[in-house]
Amino acid sequence: MNKNAPPPEASGQLLDEYWDSIRRGRFVVSECESCKHRFLPPRRWCPNCAAGNVRWFDSEGSGELYSFTEIPSASPQTPSSVVGLATLDDLSEGSRFYGSVVDIAPAAVLVGMRVRVQIRPFADGGMLPVLVPVGKEAG
Amino acid sequence: MSASFADVAIVGVAESELGYVPHLSAVELMAQAAHRALANAGLSLKEVDGLFAATAQFQMPAIAAAEQLGISPRYLDSSVQGGTSNVSHVRHAIGAIRAGLCEVALVVYGSNQRSELKRTGTRPMGAKAPPLETPYSPRFPASSYALIAQRHMAQYGTTRKQLAEVAISASRWAELNSVAFRRKPLTHEEVLASPVVSSPLRVLDCCLITDGGGALVLTSSDRARRTVEKPIFVAGTGEITEHEGVIAMRDLTVTGAARTGKQAFEASSFEPKDIDVVQIYDAFTINPIVVLEDLGFCEKGEGGTFVEDGKTGPGGRFPLNTSGGGLSYSHPGMFGIFTVIETVRQLRRECGARQVVGARIGLAHAIGGTMSTHCTLILAA
């Protein structure tokens, strides 16, 4: 079991709602109903306008790899030895998605490449949103 | 120009024993540094009425340090902002001294993380990766800084070799510092052959893990002039936090130093060209490159070129991290206080073989978290 895996049961905490949504195959980000700011990590109060009416928004997950790093010592239980930050078309400026970059050799990863967030199952039974190079998406 | 307008000055600085110090606990390292700094200032413990302490190793550090020292200060501050903590304390001490809430402020740090790592196999850490990062098992905090480095390289053409220049320069300064941990100068070949921690950062791009403590003594400029021969005046300061994790960092190539530098320069009336010696918390080699740009010492994107050709090393035109920095001198965790100690010593002209000739005005800059918090001090003799 990956000791860093998200909690299996929803508890009403905002991040548990996020992971629960991921388990159901929906990649979501926070959206403020007042100012339409869309962001990660999820928050109950909008970091742009302070309004309290933040809801979940189903994101297409399409975007561009903003930066990445390869961690040679990464545990084999993690989805990939490469972790990246992606600028998503659905997120407001300055907010990004953080996650493993999969289905590509580490040496082939490039800043600026088109990527898409996909939810993938992993060996321990957990589901994680990860970054897949465009053209390699499954399903 | 002088800083005669500055109303608070540093009158004492000291380190504890550094490196591998298995016989002293974290709070004892604080105490040893505190006793040495007070001796350096010519003040006694009973004159200390403000205490500012940080460590990642226990809760309520000011309380622990006060009992260890046997004092009952009337002003206490244990605020922790990662590597900026003690530099932030300098700002807080200025406020407290100005407000009359204390007269003699003691700022202390201590950590025995190297001994703890050896003893227990685990390094004591005050912070961990944010929850949306942990499922992907990054190296924390190295991977966050690696993302910054990779983006800077892609956006501005900064090279792997330029990162190595920062480590090499630090090691050449450390060769001149008798208490530095790594005293053998590094070569490009050694840096580039060291194992990758989180690309593009290699082991020798990352700070040391050592034991150690540090302490500063501050008081009003009036009292400072009566206390020591060479008070070092705090001419300008700046402090900011912009994010916690890199997921919320708006632009990986622009740091809070752009704002703290502006605050500190404006408050001091000095400009980047007036600064004789600079210390920037170098937890990773990318840090000085980006922060030099943000502080205005070079244009955005030119930090890599700026550090080339030994320019920041001994004998270079821009003396940077003259103690040897966190990369080669000492890194017991929150390194911020050591940027201040070295700046004060340079301005007092006490640095022997590594002394920057004619140093009158210095800048100390600390970074906390994952490029999250920044604190800038401009000090003047």
Side-chain angles (χ1 to χ4, degrees):
Chain A
M1 184 74 189
N2 179 352
K3 66 180 164 48
N4 293 322
E9 302 291 336
S11 68
Q13 290 280 311
L14 190 65
L15 276 182
D16 291 345
E17 281 184 30
Y18 173 80
W19 290 117
D20 193 48
S21 172
I22 296 297
R23 268 188 295 276
R24 287 181 286 110
R26 282 178 62 200
F27 173 58
V28 292
V29 302
S30 287
E31 183 187 61
C32 172
E33 290 197 61
S34 295
C35 74
K36 304 301 174 195
H37 188 64
R38 285 198 205 124
F39 55 94
L40 285 173
R43 306 200 189 292
R44 292 190 193 278
W45 291 271
C46 175
N48 186 53
C49 76
N53 50 347
V54 175
R55 62 171 186 180
W56 295 111
F57 175 87
D58 284 284
S59 170
E60 292 285 321
S62 294
E64 192 174 274
L65 192 63
Y66 178 68
S67 191
F68 68 93
T69 179
E70 185 192 2
I71 304 150
S73 66
S75 153
Q77 284 170 317
T78 56
S80 161
S81 63
V82 179
V83 166
L85 270 176
T87 304
L88 301 186
D89 303 342
D90 287 338
L91 288 174
S92 300
E93 195 188 340
S95 190
R96 296 189 183 89
F97 172 83
Y98 184 107
S100 299
V101 183
V102 305
D103 294 355
I104 183 170
V109 179
L110 289 172
V111 168
M113 69 193 298
R114 291 296 298 179
V115 288
R116 186 154 177 215
V117 178
Q118 287 210 325
I119 295 167
R120 296 280 181 92
F122 290 96
D124 59 12
M127 303 282 276
L128 281 177
V130 295
L131 291 165
V132 184
V134 166
K136 300 216 174 190
E137 310 100 304
Chain B
M1 272 198 265
S2 79
S4 54
F5 60 87
D7 52 4
V8 173
I10 299 173
V11 293
V13 298
E15 304 128 323
S16 69
E17 289 172 65
L18 301 174
Y20 179 54
V21 194
H23 61 284
L24 294 180
S25 70
V27 72
E28 287 169 343
L29 288 162
M30 282 184 182
Q32 188 184 53
H35 286 294
R36 290 178 176 183
L38 285 162
N40 184 250
L43 291 169
S44 74
L45 258 178
K46 64 177 188 299
E47 292 171 278
V48 173
D49 58 356
L51 182 61
F52 304 72
T55 182
Q57 285 183 254
F58 42 86
Q59 302 287 326
M60 300 183 267
I63 298 173
E67 189 195 283
Q68 180 72 212
L69 292 166
I71 58 174
S72 298
R74 64 187 172 113
Y75 193 93
L76 285 174
D77 184 337
S78 293
S79 46
V80 171
Q81 280 95 248
T84 55
S85 301
N86 295 113
V87 186
S88 181
H89 292 167
V90 170
R91 294 189 100 226
H92 300 177
I94 291 169
I97 291 165
R98 280 182 186 159
L101 299 177
C102 71
E103 282 183 36
V104 175
L106 175 64
V107 178
V108 293
Y109 179 74
S111 165
N112 64 345
Q113 62 166 355
R114 189 178 184 87
S115 299
E116 281 291 305
L117 177 62
K118 188 162 176 170
R119 195 157 39 230
T120 66
T122 310
R123 186 163 70 94
M125 292 263 290
K128 54 185 185 197
L132 282 199
E133 296 181 20
T134 48
Y136 307 99
S137 303
R139 292 288 296 268
F140 186 83
S143 295
S144 298
Y145 287 93
L147 289 165
I148 291 168
Q150 191 81 259
R151 180 69 199 181
H152 202 273
M153 292 167 86
Q155 193 164 329
Y156 294 113
T158 304
T159 66
R160 204 14 288 192
K161 195 163 177 245
Q162 289 167 342
L163 294 174
E165 285 270 3
V166 175
I168 291 163
S169 170
S171 70
R172 289 178 59 226
W173 283 113
E175 187 184 17
L176 307 176
N177 184 352
S178 63
V179 298
F181 192 78
R182 178 193 287 121
R183 298 203 61 201
K184 188 175 160 293
L186 295 170
T187 63
H188 275 286
E189 292 69 31
E190 285 172 303
V191 178
L192 299 181
S194 66
V196 174
V197 174
S198 192
S199 71
L201 300 179
R202 294 171 177 271
V203 167
L204 291 175
D205 290 298
C206 304
C207 53
L208 303 164
I209 296 173
T210 71
D211 299 329
L216 314 170
V217 184
L218 292 97
T219 191
S220 68
S221 293
D222 288 341
R223 184 159 175 182
R225 289 189 186 93
R226 300 194 305 270
T227 304
V228 292
E229 204 171 304
K230 272 193 204 170
I232 300 301
F233 300 97
V234 186
T237 68
E239 180 175 18
I240 205 100
T241 183
E242 293 189 332
H243 59 268
E244 183 189 19
V246 284
I247 190 173
M249 186 171 177
R250 287 188 69 83
D251 182 337
L252 289 191
T253 67
V254 180
T255 76
R259 291 156 77 184
T260 62
K262 193 164 183 290
Q263 289 169 27
F265 280 116
E266 280 178 6
S268 71
S269 78
F270 294 126
E271 297 174 34
K273 66 173 171 50
D274 300 319
I275 305 295
D276 301 309
V277 61
V278 175
Q279 317 296 322
I280 296 171
Y281 185 171
D282 52 346
F284 301 94
T285 50
I286 184 64
N287 300 12
I289 289 176
V290 181
V291 169
L292 283 167
E293 297 168 359
D294 290 333
L295 291 174
F297 290 108
C298 61
E299 293 298 313
K300 179 48 67 187
E302 291 179 1
T305 311
F306 189 84
V307 302
E308 279 183 334
D309 302 325
K311 185 180 180 182
T312 59
R317 284 194 291 119
F318 192 93
L320 173 71
N321 293 347
T322 53
S323 64
L327 289 165
S328 273
Y329 145 68
S330 182
H331 189 271
M334 303 171 183
F335 185 75
I337 197 165
F338 299 95
T339 67
V340 184
I341 292 169
E342 178 66 7
T343 304
V344 168
R345 287 177 173 164
Q346 285 286 351
L347 301 182
R348 287 173 171 178
R349 318 267 172 99
E350 294 174 346
C351 288
R354 66 178 196 280
Q355 179 62 48
V356 173
V357 177
R360 288 194 314 119
I361 303 163
L363 182 147
H365 183 90
I367 302 166
T370 46
M371 212 57 115
S372 319
T373 67
H374 290 259
C375 219
T376 307
L377 298 184
I378 295 174
L379 304 179

